[in-house]
Amino acid sequence: MGEEKVLLTICGEEKEYEKGTQYLTIAEEYQGRYQDDIILVSVNNKLYELHKRAKKGGVLSFVTTADNAGRKTYRRSVTFLMQKALFRLLGKERSPVRIMHCISQAYYCELAHGEQVDAGFLKRVKEEMLAMADEKMPILKSSIKTDDAVELFRDYGMPEKECLFHYRRSSRVSIYSLGNYQDYFYGYMAAHTGYLKYFDLKPYENGFVLMFPNENTKETAEFKPSVKHFGTMRRSREWSRTMGVDTIGALNNAIASGRMQEIIMVQEALMEQRIGQMAEMAAGRRGCKFIMIAGPSSSGKTTFSHRLSIQLSALGLKPHPLSLDNYYLDREKAPKDADGNFDFECLEALDVALFHRDMAALLRGDSVDLPVFNFKTGKREYKGRQLTLGRDDILVVEGIHGLNDKLTCTLPEESKFKIFISALTQINIDEHNYLPTTDGRLIRRIVRDARTRNTTAGETIGMWNSVRRGEEKYIFPFQDSADIMFNSALIYELAVLKLYAEPLLFSIDTCAPEYQEAKRLLKFLDYFLPVPGEEIAKNSILREFIGGSVFHV
């Protein structure tokens, strides 16, 4: 009796392999057809690492380092390689480094005990990493009991992982090994270190950055940090540490111990204080008639503009919030991207000429009938919203392109006060798994769009890559031109959004192309204990997404 076979459909071709063939072997066979390295496979719409073996037939496709899941896998694996190199160089410390957050196309890292690093030390780390890459060391995966994982990370001096797994529902945990170094990672890993050749290390601020490729997957991207972004992120991290809630495990501890009402009230108070300071800055600028607010999708721009307006009113001004979304072209006139889909992220999706005319008229003191965009019909409407700017009137304009010079070039510079807003998540998963701010914004958008725009979670996920490309091209390049930056993230928000997002994500069919991302987000949300939405203030930015806001959002 012959060997049992599995039939796989690959690149439109049917091919038989012996049952148990490693996906790595199949990937090496097809690598020549791909410019970028194959790092994962998808079989019947489920992701697998390359060390896994083919056990049943189906449709197999390759995931390269140019794909979203592949890029994350590459970065995660390089991070593990760096940890192993530091372990070799520093000796006894099992957890000598903390992965803080993403900046530019890099991770900002600090040594756990606050040691300073210089270019010479980082050169040694890089050489150690490249030497291990040349060795093609296998990255092995094993499954252990969750209780054993808690003990393991306690022994390793990783208290944040120990705390994380204290709240884990699953009875088992996957652990990765690189030689004698073990760790837990949120997501898939490369099969071996031979893939991990493209990176760099550079001193930055109190630590250093681990730099990665971007669009060109075989060349490290230039490091272009935003000073304001980094400063805002650092202040937010310091506040979360002061509150004792800087990781998911610490947040779960606070929820379990009944501290959430206090934390919610303190953070909302801090946010209101910060908004009040910005209102005073804008009011103190002579000739300021337009407050321009920009930021990426789901940053809470609308609620922020209303809360800022209240603070401006308290200073004796007459603010008028205006969303740039109301200047969208009618949907059938909207531009399309290279894939033929509507591109709502580009500046050309707005009626820029109409915006210029209306703003110029307002600045002259003329009365203007402002438009309102109906997202359900895809049409711009006029509902008699007349506005004239008097001496104390000020227009509070929010939208993703609010800081784009092409949009505001006709307005005198002294008439504008510019604010960049983004949801920069202040907490991490643990010592070595940072929590991407984009995940927080995506979950915000899934919840909001299902409620307000009749959009399914699958549709929102399907649009997200296009949204992200638009942000990188049209929004983030302007962030340092802002007068000030505001962080709208709340340390507890994912524990609240969890209750709203999970049913929407579970509704995505297992055959849908968005299923893999939905599964990843569900696994991510499973880390959090839930917090009821009833605890959230009616004027909170979070209400823009879960509903129940006192503002019309």
Side-chain angles (χ1 to χ4, degrees), residues 317-331:
L317 297 176
K318 297 177 182 178
H320 304 276
L322 173 66
S323 173
L324 284 173
D325 287 358
N326 290 320
Y327 281 87
Y328 268 132
L329 294 168
D330 287 349
R331 194 163 294 154

Side-chain angles (χ1 to χ4, degrees), residues 76-88 94 128-129 132-133 135-142 156 175-185 189-194 196:
R76 197 178 296 120
S77 303
V78 172
T79 303
F80 193 28
L81 183 68
M82 177 193 68
Q83 291 175 223
K84 170 67 173 177
L86 286 167
F87 175 56
R88 280 186 172 182
R94 301 295 308 215
E128 189 70 33
M129 292 171 70
M132 287 188 286
E135 292 178 39
K136 295 187 177 180
M137 298 173 62
I139 300 176
L140 302 177
K141 184 178 183 178
S142 60
Y156 283 180
I175 303 296
Y176 289 95
S177 301
L178 192 51
N180 60 343
Y181 186 82
Q182 293 178 298
D183 206 349
Y184 168 81
F185 284 91
M189 300 290 274
H192 57 72
T193 59
L196 314 177

Side-chain angles (χ1 to χ4, degrees), residues 414-433:
E414 65 274 11
S415 71
K416 297 177 287 186
F417 182 80
K418 296 182 282 188
I419 301 172
F420 189 87
I421 176 174
S422 191
L424 304 174
T425 311
Q426 306 102 317
I427 64 173
N428 278 340
I429 297 173
D430 57 42
E431 295 93 339
H432 304 138
N433 291 273

Side-chain angles (χ1 to χ4, degrees), residues 449-465:
D449 285 8
R451 181 178 63 83
T452 65
R453 300 183 182 182
N454 199 30
T455 305
T456 67
E459 289 170 333
T460 300
I461 291 171
M463 293 186 295
W464 191 242
N465 283 339

Side-chain angles (χ1 to χ4, degrees), residues 282 285 288-295 301 304-305 308 322 324 355 359 394-405 407-409 411-413 415-421 481-484:
R285 177 164 295 185
C288 177
K289 302 301 289 182
F290 302 95
I291 297 179
M292 307 302 299
I293 303 166
K301 296 180 289 293
F304 173 77
S305 69
L308 182 66
L322 173 66
L324 284 173
F355 181 79
M359 297 306 106
I394 188 166
L395 199 62
V396 183
V397 183
E398 60 86 8
I400 61 175
H401 299 290
L403 301 188
N404 191 321
D405 293 336
L407 185 71
T408 63
C409 60
L411 300 175
E413 198 61 32
S415 71
K416 297 177 287 186
F417 182 80
K418 296 182 282 188
I419 301 172
F420 189 87
I421 176 174
S481 69
D483 293 291
I484 198 164

Side-chain angles (χ1 to χ4, degrees), residues 123-273:
K123 182 181 178 182
R124 291 169 56 207
V125 177
K126 182 177 179 180
E127 289 171 349
E128 189 70 33
M129 292 171 70
L130 290 172
M132 287 188 286
D134 288 340
E135 292 178 39
K136 295 187 177 180
M137 298 173 62
I139 300 176
L140 302 177
K141 184 178 183 178
S142 60
S143 176
I144 66 173
K145 292 180 180 179
T146 300
D147 289 344
D148 293 339
V150 171
E151 292 294 328
L152 177 71
F153 292 120
R154 181 181 299 137
D155 292 342
Y156 283 180
M158 300 183 190
E160 293 170 7
K161 283 188 173 67
E162 178 189 349
C163 185
L164 180 73
F165 290 125
H166 175 74
Y167 294 96
R168 187 176 178 87
R169 293 182 178 90
S170 174
S171 61
R172 301 192 71 83
V173 173
S174 293
I175 303 296
Y176 289 95
S177 301
L178 192 51
N180 60 343
Y181 186 82
Q182 293 178 298
D183 206 349
Y184 168 81
F185 284 91
Y186 162 57
Y188 300 101
M189 300 290 274
H192 57 72
T193 59
Y195 291 90
L196 314 177
K197 306 171 186 175
Y198 314 106
F199 62 87
D200 206 351
L201 295 159
K202 178 179 179 179
Y204 187 73
E205 293 290 334
N206 296 326
F208 62 96
V209 287
L210 173 60
M211 301 156 58
F212 304 103
N214 190 13
E215 293 178 357
N216 182 347
T217 66
K218 297 187 178 181
E219 180 179 305
T220 305
E222 183 182 357
F223 181 55
K224 296 179 179 178
S226 164
V227 175
K228 289 179 180 175
H229 174 278
F230 183 83
T232 302
M233 195 80 237
R234 182 170 55 189
R235 285 192 298 272
S236 299
R237 294 273 186 213
E238 289 171 351
W239 182 83
S240 64
R241 280 197 292 268
T242 300
M243 292 296 294
V245 187
D246 57 347
T247 64
I248 293 178
L251 175 63
N252 287 337
N253 279 342
I255 296 169
S257 63
R259 289 182 56 214
M260 284 315 300
Q261 187 175 30
E262 172 201 354
I263 291 172
I264 290 170
M265 291 174 66
V266 171
Q267 187 164 26
E268 288 289 357
L270 182 70
M271 192 169 280
E272 195 65 32
Q273 181 187 59

